[in-house]
Coordinates of all heavy atoms in Angstrom, one line a residue:
M1 N 84.2 109.6 78.9 CA 84.6 111.0 79.4 C 86.1 111.0 79.6 O 86.6 110.2 80.4 CB 83.8 111.2 80.7 CG 84.0 112.6 81.3 SD 83.1 112.9 82.9 CE 81.4 112.8 82.4
D2 N 86.8 111.9 78.9 CA 88.2 112.0 79.1 C 88.5 113.0 80.3 O 87.6 113.5 80.9 CB 88.9 112.5 77.9 CG 88.5 113.9 77.4 OD1 88.0 114.6 78.2 OD2 88.8 114.2 76.3
K3 N 89.8 113.1 80.7 CA 90.1 113.9 81.9 C 89.7 115.3 81.7 O 89.2 115.9 82.7 CB 91.6 113.8 82.1 CG 92.0 112.4 82.7 CD 93.5 112.4 82.9 CE 94.0 111.0 83.3 NZ 95.4 110.9 83.5
K4 N 89.8 115.9 80.6 CA 89.4 117.3 80.4 C 87.9 117.5 80.6 O 87.5 118.4 81.3 CB 89.8 117.7 79.0 CG 89.8 119.2 78.7 CD 90.4 119.6 77.4 CE 90.4 121.1 77.2 NZ 91.0 121.4 75.9
E5 N 87.1 116.6 80.0 CA 85.7 116.7 80.2 C 85.3 116.4 81.7 O 84.4 117.1 82.2 CB 85.0 115.6 79.3 CG 85.1 115.9 77.9 CD 84.6 114.7 77.0 OE1 84.7 113.5 77.5 OE2 84.1 115.0 75.9
L6 N 86.0 115.5 82.3 CA 85.8 115.2 83.7 C 86.0 116.4 84.6 O 85.2 116.8 85.4 CB 86.7 114.1 84.2 CG 86.7 113.7 85.7 CD1 85.3 113.2 86.1 CD2 87.8 112.7 86.0
V7 N 87.1 117.1 84.4 CA 87.4 118.3 85.2 C 86.4 119.4 84.9 O 85.9 120.0 85.9 CB 88.8 118.8 84.8 CG1 89.1 120.2 85.4 CG2 89.9 117.8 85.3
K8 N 86.0 119.6 83.7 CA 85.0 120.6 83.4 C 83.6 120.2 84.0 O 83.0 121.1 84.7 CB 84.8 120.7 81.9 CG 83.7 121.8 81.5 CD 83.5 121.9 80.0 CE 82.5 122.9 79.6 NZ 81.6 123.4 80.6
F9 N 83.2 119.0 83.9 CA 82.0 118.5 84.6 C 82.0 118.8 86.1 O 81.1 119.3 86.6 CB 81.7 117.1 84.3 CG 80.4 116.6 84.9 CD1 79.2 116.8 84.2 CD2 80.4 116.0 86.1 CE1 78.0 116.4 84.8 CE2 79.2 115.6 86.8 CZ 78.0 115.8 86.1
L10 N 83.1 118.4 86.7 CA 83.2 118.5 88.2 C 83.2 120.0 88.6 O 82.6 120.3 89.6 CB 84.4 117.7 88.7 CG 84.2 116.2 88.6 CD1 85.5 115.5 89.1 CD2 83.1 115.7 89.5
R11 N 83.9 120.8 87.8 CA 83.9 122.2 88.1 C 82.5 122.8 88.0 O 82.1 123.6 88.8 CB 84.9 122.9 87.3 CG 86.3 122.7 87.7 CD 87.3 123.8 87.2 NE 88.6 123.6 87.8 CZ 89.7 123.5 87.1 NH1 89.7 123.7 85.8 NH2 90.8 123.3 87.8
D12 N 81.9 122.5 86.9 CA 80.5 123.0 86.6 C 79.6 122.5 87.8 O 78.7 123.3 88.2 CB 80.0 122.5 85.3 CG 80.6 123.2 84.1 OD1 81.3 124.2 84.3 OD2 80.5 122.7 83.0
Y13 N 79.7 121.3 88.1 CA 78.9 120.8 89.2 C 79.1 121.6 90.5 O 78.2 121.9 91.2 CB 79.1 119.3 89.5 CG 78.4 118.8 90.7 CD1 77.1 118.5 90.7 CD2 79.1 118.6 91.9 CE1 76.4 118.1 91.8 CE2 78.5 118.2 93.1 CZ 77.1 117.9 93.0 OH 76.5 117.5 94.2
N14 N 80.4 121.8 90.8 CA 80.7 122.5 92.0 C 80.1 124.0 92.0 O 79.7 124.5 93.0 CB 82.2 122.5 92.3 CG 82.6 122.5 93.7 OD1 81.8 122.0 94.5 ND2 83.7 123.0 94.1
H15 N 80.2 124.6 90.8 CA 79.7 125.9 90.7 C 78.1 125.9 90.9 O 77.6 126.8 91.6 CB 79.9 126.5 89.3 CG 81.4 126.9 89.1 ND1 82.1 127.8 89.9 CD2 82.3 126.5 88.1 CE1 83.3 127.9 89.4 NE2 83.5 127.1 88.4
W16 N 77.5 124.9 90.3 CA 76.0 124.7 90.5 C 75.7 124.6 92.0 O 74.8 125.2 92.5 CB 75.5 123.6 89.7 CG 74.1 123.2 90.1 CD1 73.0 123.8 89.6 CD2 73.7 122.2 91.0 NE1 71.8 123.3 90.2 CE2 72.3 122.3 91.1 CE3 74.3 121.3 91.8 CZ2 71.5 121.4 91.9 CZ3 73.6 120.5 92.6 CH2 72.2 120.5 92.6
R17 N 76.5 123.7 92.6 CA 76.3 123.4 94.1 C 76.4 124.6 94.9 O 75.8 124.8 95.9 CB 77.3 122.3 94.5 CG 77.0 121.7 95.8 CD 78.1 120.7 96.2 NE 79.4 121.2 96.2 CZ 79.9 121.9 97.2 NH1 79.2 122.2 98.3 NH2 81.1 122.4 97.2
R18 N 77.3 125.5 94.5 CA 77.5 126.8 95.3 C 76.5 127.9 94.9 O 76.7 129.0 95.3 CB 79.0 127.2 95.1 CG 79.9 126.3 95.7 CD 81.4 126.8 95.5 NE 82.3 125.9 96.2 CZ 83.6 125.8 96.0 NH1 84.1 126.6 95.1 NH2 84.3 125.0 96.7
G19 N 75.6 127.6 94.0 CA 74.5 128.5 93.7 C 74.6 129.2 92.4 O 73.8 130.2 92.2
A20 N 75.4 128.8 91.5 CA 75.5 129.4 90.2 C 74.1 129.1 89.4 O 73.5 128.1 89.6 CB 76.6 128.8 89.4
E21 N 73.7 130.1 88.6 CA 72.5 129.9 87.9 C 72.7 129.1 86.6 O 72.6 129.7 85.5 CB 71.9 131.3 87.6 CG 71.5 132.1 88.8 CD 70.3 131.5 89.5 OE1 69.4 131.0 88.9 OE2 70.3 131.6 90.8
I22 N 73.0 127.9 86.8 CA 73.1 127.0 85.6 C 72.3 125.8 85.9 O 71.9 125.5 87.1 CB 74.6 126.6 85.5 CG1 75.2 125.9 86.7 CG2 75.5 127.7 85.0 CD1 76.6 125.4 86.6
P23 N 71.9 125.0 84.9 CA 71.1 123.8 85.1 C 71.7 122.8 86.0 O 73.0 122.6 86.0 CB 70.9 123.3 83.7 CG 71.3 124.3 82.7 CD 72.2 125.2 83.5
M24 N 70.9 122.1 86.8 CA 71.4 121.1 87.6 C 72.0 119.9 86.8 O 71.3 119.4 85.9 CB 70.2 120.5 88.5 CG 70.7 119.4 89.4 SD 69.3 118.8 90.4 CE 69.4 117.1 90.2
P25 N 73.2 119.5 87.1 CA 73.8 118.4 86.4 C 73.0 117.1 86.7 O 72.4 116.9 87.7 CB 75.2 118.3 86.9 CG 75.5 119.6 87.6 CD 74.1 120.1 88.0
S26 N 73.1 116.2 85.7 CA 72.4 114.9 85.9 C 73.1 114.1 87.0 O 74.3 113.9 87.0 CB 72.5 114.1 84.6 OG 72.3 112.7 84.8
P27 N 72.3 113.6 88.0 CA 72.8 112.7 89.0 C 73.6 111.5 88.5 O 74.6 111.1 89.0 CB 71.6 112.3 89.8 CG 70.6 113.4 89.6 CD 70.8 113.8 88.2
K28 N 73.1 111.0 87.4 CA 73.7 109.8 86.7 C 75.1 110.2 86.2 O 76.1 109.5 86.4 CB 72.9 109.3 85.6 CG 73.4 108.0 84.9 CD 72.5 107.5 83.8 CE 73.1 106.3 83.2 NZ 72.3 105.8 82.1
E29 N 75.2 111.3 85.5 CA 76.5 111.8 85.0 C 77.4 112.1 86.2 O 78.6 111.9 86.1 CB 76.3 113.1 84.2 CG 75.7 112.8 82.8 CD 75.7 114.1 82.0 OE1 76.8 114.5 81.5 OE2 74.6 114.6 81.8
L30 N 76.9 112.7 87.3 CA 77.7 112.9 88.5 C 78.3 111.6 89.0 O 79.5 111.6 89.3 CB 76.9 113.6 89.6 CG 77.7 113.9 90.9 CD1 78.9 114.7 90.6 CD2 76.8 114.5 91.9
G31 N 77.5 110.6 89.1 CA 78.0 109.3 89.6 C 79.1 108.7 88.7 O 80.1 108.2 89.2
I32 N 78.9 108.9 87.4 CA 79.9 108.4 86.4 C 81.2 109.2 86.6 O 82.3 108.6 86.6 CB 79.4 108.5 85.0 CG1 78.3 107.5 84.8 CG2 80.5 108.3 84.0 CD1 77.5 107.6 83.5
A33 N 81.1 110.5 86.7 CA 82.2 111.4 86.9 C 83.0 111.0 88.2 O 84.2 111.0 88.2 CB 81.8 112.8 86.9
L34 N 82.3 110.8 89.2 CA 82.9 110.5 90.5 C 83.6 109.1 90.4 O 84.7 109.0 90.9 CB 81.9 110.5 91.6 CG 81.3 111.8 92.0 CD1 80.2 111.7 93.0 CD2 82.4 112.7 92.6
D35 N 83.0 108.1 89.7 CA 83.7 106.8 89.5 C 85.0 107.0 88.8 O 86.0 106.4 89.1 CB 82.7 105.9 88.8 CG 81.6 105.4 89.7 OD1 81.7 105.5 90.9 OD2 80.6 104.9 89.1
I36 N 84.9 107.8 87.7 CA 86.2 108.0 86.9 C 87.2 108.7 87.8 O 88.4 108.3 87.8 CB 85.8 108.8 85.7 CG1 84.9 108.0 84.7 CG2 87.1 109.2 84.9 CD1 84.3 108.8 83.6
A37 N 86.8 109.7 88.5 CA 87.8 110.5 89.4 C 88.4 109.6 90.4 O 89.6 109.6 90.6 CB 87.1 111.7 90.0
I38 N 87.6 108.7 91.0 CA 88.1 107.8 92.0 C 89.1 106.8 91.4 O 90.2 106.6 92.0 CB 86.9 107.0 92.7 CG1 86.2 108.0 93.6 CG2 87.4 105.8 93.5 CD1 84.8 107.5 94.1
S39 N 88.8 106.3 90.2 CA 89.6 105.4 89.5 C 91.0 106.1 89.2 O 92.1 105.4 89.4 CB 89.0 104.9 88.2 OG 89.8 104.1 87.5
I40 N 91.0 107.3 88.8 CA 92.2 108.0 88.5 C 93.0 108.2 89.7 O 94.2 108.0 89.7 CB 91.9 109.4 87.8 CG1 91.3 109.2 86.4 CG2 93.1 110.3 87.8 CD1 90.7 110.4 85.8
I41 N 92.4 108.6 90.8 CA 93.1 108.8 92.1 C 93.7 107.5 92.5 O 94.9 107.4 93.0 CB 92.2 109.4 93.1 CG1 91.8 110.8 92.8 CG2 92.8 109.3 94.5 CD1 90.7 111.4 93.6
E42 N 93.0 106.4 92.4 CA 93.5 105.1 92.9 C 94.7 104.7 92.0 O 95.7 104.1 92.5 CB 92.4 104.0 92.8 CG 91.4 104.1 93.9 CD 90.2 103.2 93.7 OE1 90.0 102.7 92.6 OE2 89.5 102.9 94.7
K43 N 94.7 104.9 90.7 CA 95.8 104.6 89.8 C 97.0 105.4 90.2 O 98.2 104.9 90.2 CB 95.5 104.8 88.4 CG 94.5 103.8 87.8 CD 94.1 104.1 86.4 CE 93.1 103.1 85.9 NZ 92.6 103.4 84.5
I44 N 96.8 106.7 90.5 CA 98.0 107.6 90.9 C 98.6 107.0 92.2 O 99.8 106.9 92.3 CB 97.5 109.0 91.0 CG1 97.2 109.6 89.6 CG2 98.6 109.9 91.7 CD1 96.5 110.9 89.7
E45 N 97.7 106.7 93.1 CA 98.1 106.2 94.4 C 98.9 104.9 94.3 O 100.0 104.7 94.9 CB 96.9 106.0 95.3 CG 97.3 105.5 96.7 CD 96.1 105.4 97.6 OE1 95.4 104.3 97.5 OE2 95.8 106.2 98.4
E46 N 98.5 104.0 93.4 CA 99.1 102.8 93.1 C 100.5 103.0 92.5 O 101.5 102.4 92.9 CB 98.3 101.9 92.2 CG 98.8 100.5 91.9 CD 97.9 99.7 91.1 OE1 96.7 99.7 91.3 OE2 98.4 99.2 90.0
K47 N 100.6 104.0 91.6 CA 101.9 104.3 91.0 C 102.9 104.8 92.1 O 104.1 104.5 92.1 CB 101.8 105.3 89.9 CG 101.2 104.7 88.6 CD 101.0 105.8 87.6 CE 100.3 105.3 86.3 NZ 100.2 106.3 85.3
V48 N 102.4 105.7 92.9 CA 103.3 106.3 94.0 C 103.8 105.2 94.9 O 104.9 105.1 95.3 CB 102.5 107.4 94.8 CG1 103.3 107.8 96.0 CG2 102.3 108.6 93.9
V49 N 102.9 104.3 95.3 CA 103.2 103.2 96.2 C 104.3 102.3 95.6 O 105.3 101.9 96.2 CB 102.0 102.4 96.7 CG1 102.4 101.1 97.3 CG2 101.1 103.2 97.6
N50 N 104.0 101.9 94.3 CA 105.0 101.1 93.6 C 106.4 101.8 93.4 O 107.4 101.1 93.6 CB 104.4 100.7 92.2 CG 103.3 99.7 92.3 OD1 103.2 99.0 93.3 ND2 102.5 99.6 91.3
K51 N 106.3 103.1 93.2 CA 107.6 103.8 93.0 C 108.3 103.8 94.4 O 109.5 103.6 94.4 CB 107.3 105.2 92.6 CG 108.6 106.0 92.3 CD 108.2 107.4 91.8 CE 109.5 108.2 91.6 NZ 109.2 109.6 91.1
N52 N 107.6 104.0 95.5 CA 108.2 104.0 96.8 C 108.8 102.7 97.1 O 109.9 102.6 97.7 CB 107.2 104.5 97.8 CG 106.9 106.0 97.8 OD1 107.7 106.7 97.2 ND2 105.8 106.4 98.4
K53 N 108.1 101.6 96.7 CA 108.6 100.2 97.0 C 109.9 100.0 96.2 O 110.8 99.4 96.8 CB 107.6 99.2 96.6 CG 106.4 99.1 97.6 CD 105.4 98.0 97.1 CE 104.3 97.9 98.1 NZ 103.3 96.8 97.6
R54 N 110.0 100.5 95.0 CA 111.2 100.3 94.2 C 112.3 101.1 94.8 O 113.5 100.6 94.9 CB 111.0 100.7 92.7 CG 110.1 99.7 91.9 CD 110.2 100.0 90.4 NE 109.8 101.4 90.1 CZ 108.6 101.8 89.8 NH1 107.6 100.9 89.9 NH2 108.3 103.0 89.5
C55 N 112.1 102.3 95.3 CA 113.1 103.1 95.9 C 113.6 102.4 97.2 O 114.8 102.3 97.4 CB 112.6 104.5 96.2 SG 112.4 105.5 94.8
L56 N 112.7 101.9 98.0 CA 113.1 101.2 99.2 C 113.9 100.0 98.9 O 114.9 99.6 99.6 CB 111.9 100.8 100.0 CG 111.2 102.0 100.7 CD1 109.8 101.5 101.4 CD2 112.0 102.6 101.8
L57 N 113.5 99.2 97.9 CA 114.3 98.0 97.5 C 115.7 98.4 97.1 O 116.7 97.8 97.5 CB 113.6 97.3 96.3 CG 114.3 96.1 95.8 CD1 114.4 95.0 96.9 CD2 113.5 95.5 94.6
K58 N 115.9 99.5 96.3 CA 117.2 99.9 95.9 C 118.0 100.3 97.1 O 119.2 100.0 97.2 CB 117.1 101.1 94.9 CG 116.6 100.7 93.6 CD 116.4 102.0 92.7 CE 115.8 101.6 91.3 NZ 115.6 102.8 90.5
V59 N 117.4 101.0 98.0 CA 118.2 101.4 99.2 C 118.5 100.2 100.1 O 119.7 100.1 100.5 CB 117.3 102.4 100.1 CG1 117.9 102.6 101.5 CG2 117.2 103.8 99.4
S60 N 117.6 99.3 100.2 CA 117.9 98.1 100.9 C 119.0 97.3 100.3 O 119.9 96.8 101.0 CB 116.6 97.2 100.9 OG 116.8 96.0 101.6
I61 N 119.0 97.1 99.0 CA 120.1 96.4 98.3 C 121.4 97.2 98.5 O 122.5 96.5 98.8 CB 119.8 96.3 96.8 CG1 118.6 95.3 96.6 CG2 121.0 95.8 96.0 CD1 118.1 95.3 95.2
F62 N 121.4 98.5 98.4 CA 122.7 99.3 98.6 C 123.2 99.0 100.0 O 124.4 98.8 100.2 CB 122.4 100.7 98.4 CG 123.6 101.6 98.7 CD1 124.6 101.7 97.8 CD2 123.6 102.3 99.9 CE1 125.7 102.5 98.1 CE2 124.7 103.1 100.2 CZ 125.8 103.2 99.3
I63 N 122.3 99.1 101.0 CA 122.8 98.9 102.4 C 123.3 97.5 102.6 O 124.4 97.4 103.2 CB 121.6 99.2 103.4 CG1 121.3 100.7 103.4 CG2 122.0 98.7 104.8 CD1 120.1 101.1 104.1
R64 N 122.7 96.5 102.0 CA 123.2 95.1 102.2 C 124.6 95.0 101.6 O 125.5 94.4 102.1 CB 122.2 94.1 101.6 CG 121.0 93.9 102.4 CD 120.1 92.9 101.7 NE 118.8 93.0 102.3 CZ 117.7 92.6 101.8 NH1 117.7 92.1 100.5 NH2 116.5 92.6 102.4
V65 N 124.7 95.5 100.4 CA 126.0 95.4 99.7 C 127.1 96.2 100.4 O 128.2 95.7 100.7 CB 125.9 95.9 98.2 CG1 127.3 96.1 97.6 CG2 125.0 95.0 97.4
K66 N 126.8 97.4 100.9 CA 127.8 98.2 101.5 C 128.2 97.6 102.9 O 129.4 97.6 103.2 CB 127.2 99.6 101.8 CG 128.2 100.5 102.4 CD 127.6 101.9 102.6 CE 128.7 102.8 103.2 NZ 128.2 104.2 103.5
Y67 N 127.3 97.1 103.6 CA 127.6 96.6 105.0 C 128.0 95.1 105.0 O 128.7 94.7 106.0 CB 126.5 97.0 106.0 CG 126.5 98.5 106.2 CD1 125.5 99.2 105.6 CD2 127.4 99.1 106.9 CE1 125.4 100.6 105.8 CE2 127.4 100.5 107.1 CZ 126.4 101.2 106.5 OH 126.4 102.6 106.7
H68 N 127.6 94.3 104.1 CA 127.9 92.9 104.1 C 129.1 92.6 103.2 O 129.8 91.6 103.4 CB 126.7 92.1 103.7 CG 125.6 92.1 104.6 ND1 125.6 91.4 105.8 CD2 124.4 92.8 104.6 CE1 124.5 91.7 106.5 NE2 123.7 92.5 105.8
F69 N 129.3 93.4 102.2 CA 130.5 93.2 101.3 C 131.2 94.5 101.1 O 131.3 95.0 100.0 CB 129.9 92.7 100.0 CG 129.1 91.5 100.1 CD1 127.7 91.5 99.9 CD2 129.6 90.2 100.3 CE1 126.9 90.4 100.0 CE2 128.8 89.1 100.4 CZ 127.5 89.2 100.3
P70 N 131.9 95.0 102.2 CA 132.5 96.3 102.0 C 133.7 96.3 101.1 O 134.0 97.3 100.4 CB 133.0 96.6 103.5 CG 132.9 95.3 104.2 CD 131.9 94.4 103.5
R71 N 134.4 95.1 100.9 CA 135.5 95.1 99.9 C 135.0 95.3 98.5 O 135.8 95.8 97.7 CB 136.2 93.8 100.1 CG 137.1 93.7 101.3 CD 137.9 92.4 101.3 NE 137.4 91.6 102.5 CZ 137.2 90.3 102.5 NH1 137.6 89.6 101.5 NH2 136.7 89.7 103.5
V72 N 133.8 94.9 98.2 CA 133.3 95.1 96.8 C 133.3 96.5 96.5 O 133.6 96.9 95.3 CB 131.9 94.5 96.7 CG1 131.3 94.8 95.4 CG2 131.9 93.0 97.0
L73 N 132.9 97.4 97.4 CA 132.9 98.8 97.1 C 134.3 99.5 97.0 O 134.4 100.5 96.4 CB 132.0 99.5 98.2 CG 130.6 99.2 98.2 CD1 129.9 99.9 99.4 CD2 129.9 99.5 96.9
L74 N 135.3 98.9 97.6 CA 136.6 99.4 97.6 C 137.4 99.1 96.3 O 138.3 99.7 96.0 CB 137.4 99.0 98.8 CG 136.8 99.4 100.2 CD1 137.6 98.8 101.3 CD2 136.9 101.0 100.3
M75 N 137.0 98.0 95.6 CA 137.7 97.6 94.4 C 137.4 98.4 93.2 O 136.6 99.1 93.0 CB 137.3 96.1 94.1 CG 137.9 95.2 95.2 SD 137.4 93.5 94.7 CE 138.2 92.6 95.9

């Protein structure tokens, strides 16, 4: 199931859950869709955390260089 199919399935499921007159989605397919959605969210979260760590590292290096070696910045 690709992302486009995942979104469609989850939207259809939500419409059904709210009372739309459509066939009940398969519980097995729902479980698979939820597993995929969770995996996607975890990957996005991991990328954000890694990006934030890289930004913090750059700031930390800049601060160390600026305050421990001020002459380096003046040259």
Side-chain angles (χ1 to χ4, degrees):
M1 183 181 295
D2 64 16
K3 288 181 186 179
K4 192 173 185 178
E5 293 170 332
L6 173 66
V7 169
K8 181 182 179 343
F9 179 85
L10 291 174
R11 283 200 174 132
D12 289 347
Y13 171 77
N14 213 26
H15 289 305
W16 170 81
R17 192 181 60 77
R18 291 180 177 164
E21 294 295 324
I22 57 175
M24 180 179 131
S26 159
K28 182 178 179 180
E29 285 185 75
L30 176 60
I32 291 168
L34 291 173
D35 287 340
I36 294 168
I38 290 167
S39 175
I40 290 169
I41 291 168
E42 288 173 340
K43 286 178 186 175
I44 291 170
E45 184 178 78
E46 185 177 308
K47 286 180 183 179
V48 168
V49 167
N50 287 338
K51 184 178 179 181
N52 287 342
K53 284 182 181 178
R54 286 193 305 272
C55 288
L56 287 173
L57 179 62
K58 288 177 185 176
V59 169
S60 175
I61 290 170
F62 174 77
I63 290 171
R64 286 182 192 154
V65 168
K66 182 176 180 182
Y67 292 104
H68 291 284
F69 305 105
R71 284 185 246 144
V72 172
L73 295 176
L74 296 174
M75 292 182 177

